Amino acid sequence: MGEPPVFDEQWVQAARYTETDRRPRRRPAGPQPWRAWTPPPPPRPRRMPAAIVIVAVLALVVLASFTLHKSRSTPQQAQPAQAQPTQAQPAQAAPSSAPPPAVPTAPAGQTLSWKSATEMPDGPDPNDPRVFAELKVGTCIAQAANLRTAAVVPCSGPHTDEVDLVRDLTAEFPTTPDNRQIDRLNTTLCPGAVRDWTGGRDGRYSSGYLWQFQNGVPGQAVRGFVCTAQLSGHGPFTGTLHHAAA
């Protein structure tokens, strides 16, 4: 017999595959996943450095202080005041500073045919058509200062007006005349009538008028216009203005 073969350990180590590699591997018991994957943990939040936080807080404090100071130092625009409804107060008449109308006086050396009076007598109302129909040239009338009341009075006592012209309006106006037509009658008739009554043009005397116009049968209804002579201040007097300026 020949000699046993020599076992070359270096050759065995240099082999590409070994017997161990060729042995079948045991599979683990039970099903196993192909791959086991665990998600990575979430990233940790970054913390803001303490220095940045402090700077931000200080900046907010400074900004708030500046805004407050500016609002206090800036003048606010005044809002227009809303008018409050007020109850209207009745107007009170202020005392008049104007002097009362001057009483006409006679020039030196001339005697007047009349004299100023203070009292006003009472009598029939010339606004009554029956009384108005009885008016004639020379009739005397006492009219109140407010021009609301009047009375036919004797010429021997105080009065304010003396009738110097009477005119019938029946033929001239078929219907009631308006204020414009009455003013035209006054302007046309009364200034001349007072001059004829007083005897001349004199600023101490002026004219007035009354009128009535009834609806009714012509000739029976009272329809007339009357001019009067009076003092320029329309004050009461005694005596007469007839030929007072002559």
Side-chain angles (χ1 to χ4, degrees), residues 10-11 27 47 52 58 66 79 82 91 112 115 119 135-136 143 153 158 163 165 170 190 192-193 202 207 209 241:
Q10 294 182 354
W11 181 84
R27 293 182 179 179
R47 295 184 177 179
I52 298 179
L58 292 177
F66 176 76
Q79 297 295 330
Q82 297 181 355
L112 291 175
K115 184 178 180 181
E119 297 181 357
L135 296 180
K136 58 185 179 181
Q143 191 170 28
V153 296
V163 177
L165 182 145
T170 302
C190 294
D202 195 319
S207 63
Y209 67 91
L241 300 183

Side-chain angles (χ1 to χ4, degrees), residues 1-208:
M1 292 185 62
E3 295 179 3
V6 178
F7 182 77
D8 190 350
E9 184 66 26
Q10 294 182 354
W11 181 84
V12 174
Q13 294 295 332
R16 185 175 183 182
Y17 298 100
T18 65
E19 185 179 359
T20 304
D21 296 332
R22 296 286 184 176
R23 293 176 182 177
R25 298 181 179 180
R26 285 187 174 185
R27 293 182 179 179
Q32 295 291 330
W34 285 99
R35 182 179 298 174
W37 178 81
T38 302
R44 298 176 61 184
R46 295 182 179 180
R47 295 184 177 179
M48 186 178 295
I52 298 179
V53 175
I54 296 175
V55 171
V57 172
L58 292 177
L60 291 176
V61 172
V62 172
L63 180 61
S65 301
F66 176 76
T67 305
L68 181 61
H69 176 72
K70 184 177 181 180
S71 63
R72 289 181 177 178
S73 59
T74 302
Q76 297 181 355
Q77 184 177 3
Q79 297 295 330
Q82 297 181 355
Q84 298 294 332
T86 56
Q87 184 178 4
Q89 298 295 331
Q92 298 182 357
S96 175
S97 59
V103 178
T105 57
Q110 182 180 356
T111 303
L112 291 175
S113 58
W114 54 270
K115 184 178 180 181
S116 296
T118 56
E119 297 181 357
M120 297 286 286
D122 196 8
D125 187 0
N127 293 313
D128 185 340
R130 294 172 298 180
V131 178
F132 185 90
E134 300 296 327
L135 296 180
K136 58 185 179 181
V137 174
T139 300
C140 293
I141 300 173
Q143 191 170 28
N146 58 13
L147 305 181
R148 295 180 180 178
T149 59
V152 176
V153 296
C155 292
S156 58
H159 54 281
T160 58
D161 295 78
E162 296 176 353
V163 177
D164 54 21
L165 182 145
V166 177
R167 182 162 179 165
D168 185 19
L169 301 181
T170 302
E172 190 170 356
F173 297 100
T175 59
T176 304
D178 56 27
N179 292 333
R180 181 176 54 85
Q181 293 170 318
I182 294 299
D183 288 341
R184 187 185 305 117
L185 286 175
N186 176 38
T187 304
T188 303
L189 302 176
C190 294
V194 71
R195 288 195 298 269
D196 294 341
W197 181 256
T198 59
R201 188 184 300 273
D202 195 319
R204 293 175 294 179
Y205 312 114
S206 61
S207 63

Side-chain angles (χ1 to χ4, degrees), residues 204-229:
R204 293 175 294 179
Y205 312 114
S206 61
S207 63
Y209 67 91
L210 299 170
W211 68 286
Q212 282 277 350
F213 197 97
Q214 280 186 323
N215 294 322
V217 179
Q220 298 180 5
V222 178
R223 300 178 178 180
F225 183 86
V226 171
C227 292
T228 64

